[in-house]
Amino acid sequence: MTIRYKCRHCETEIGQLPLDSIDEHFLKKNDITHEEKDLYIELGNEGEYTVQCICEECQSSLQKFPNYYALKKWIQ
């Protein structure tokens, strides 16, 4: 099982970590709300987690064009 990090805008896979390399305490940590978990973390069919985040390219674009924040999906 793995934890995948994927850009929520361009859907590029940023990286992945084997789940067995993650400390159990880290997984149980509750620094984010249930709403944030529902919005940014998905559990796949095979038990893998996908974390929706942002890649450096999309972050750079958002800094240049802040009006993109108002759009749910701005890359077509």
Side-chain angles (χ1 to χ4, degrees):
M1 293 194 301
T2 60
I3 298 176
R4 297 177 183 269
Y5 292 87
K6 184 175 171 183
C7 180
R8 63 184 178 174
H9 298 289
C10 67
E11 299 187 9
T12 298
E13 186 170 307
I14 298 168
Q16 53 183 294
L17 295 170
L19 196 55
D20 58 350
S21 71
I22 305 296
D23 183 13
E24 236 180 273
H25 175 71
F26 176 77
L27 292 175
K28 293 179 181 178
K29 205 171 177 185
N30 288 322
D31 287 347
I32 62 174
T33 65
H34 289 292
E35 292 83 19
E36 290 172 325
K37 285 180 185 176
D38 290 342
L39 188 60
Y40 298 116
I41 301 173
E42 300 171 8
L43 180 60
N45 293 338
E46 297 179 19
E48 75 221 14
Y49 290 94
T50 301
V51 178
Q52 299 290 327
C53 49
I54 186 167
C55 70
E56 290 179 10
E57 293 293 322
C58 289
Q59 178 64 34
S60 176
S61 294
L62 286 169
Q63 287 175 337
K64 290 177 188 171
F65 305 101
N67 58 323
Y68 287 177
Y69 279 105
L71 305 172
K72 184 165 181 119
K73 184 133 176 109
W74 48 272
I75 296 179
Q76 302 299 319

